[in-house]
Amino acid sequence: MLYFLYFLVGGTIMVLALLLSQSKYLFLSGIITALPILTLINMGMQMKNMKEDTFHAVLQNTVFGAVGMLLFTVLTFLLTSWFKPGISVMSALAVYALFMLSGKYILSMFA
């Protein structure tokens, strides 16, 4: 259940970032630009407060999440060649959700 909550929170942040990036207000674009910087700050705090094996597990999950976002973006791009944008996004989102929900099993194959 906690994994689903993380998925929901992360997705909400991505949607909000997308909406804010379309704004005409410059400070909102600055917030979007700050997201990678905040990620680096978060990693720095994790390095200070986590053991090495825990940090490695977190980074493994981070790579898995990045691959999931890449999968979502590429699928959306490819599917819009054949389908309407709404159907393409929903289809790519379904594949992304399956990929992320099966994450623990997929990661256990590499560990």
Side-chain angles (χ1 to χ4, degrees):
M1 184 64 175
L2 190 59
Y3 189 73
F4 178 73
L5 180 64
Y6 292 152
F7 176 77
L8 187 64
V9 169
T12 302
I13 290 171
M14 292 302 294
V15 168
L16 289 174
L18 176 67
L19 292 174
L20 291 175
S21 69
Q22 296 175 352
S23 174
K24 295 179 183 174
Y25 300 109
L26 293 177
F27 78 93
L28 293 177
S29 295
I31 292 172
I32 303 309
T33 305
L35 286 175
I37 297 168
L38 292 174
T39 301
L40 291 173
I41 292 170
N42 183 33
M43 286 179 71
M45 290 189 310
Q46 288 173 345
M47 285 188 292
K48 290 178 185 174
N49 298 316
M50 288 183 182
K51 295 179 183 175
E52 187 175 324
D53 57 338
T54 307
F55 182 68
H56 181 73
V58 167
L59 288 181
Q60 186 179 23
N61 289 332
T62 303
V63 169
F64 185 79
V67 170
M69 284 306 298
L70 180 64
L71 176 68
F72 173 72
T73 305
V74 168
L75 277 176
T76 301
F77 175 75
L78 292 175
L79 290 174
T80 52
S81 299
W82 299 300
F83 304 106
K84 292 182 179 182
I87 294 171
S88 299
V89 170
M90 294 308 288
S91 300
L93 184 61
V95 171
Y96 171 70
L98 287 173
F99 179 78
M100 294 305 289
L101 292 173
S102 64
K104 294 220 183 254
Y105 174 74
I106 292 171
L107 285 177
S108 70
M109 291 189 306
F110 295 110

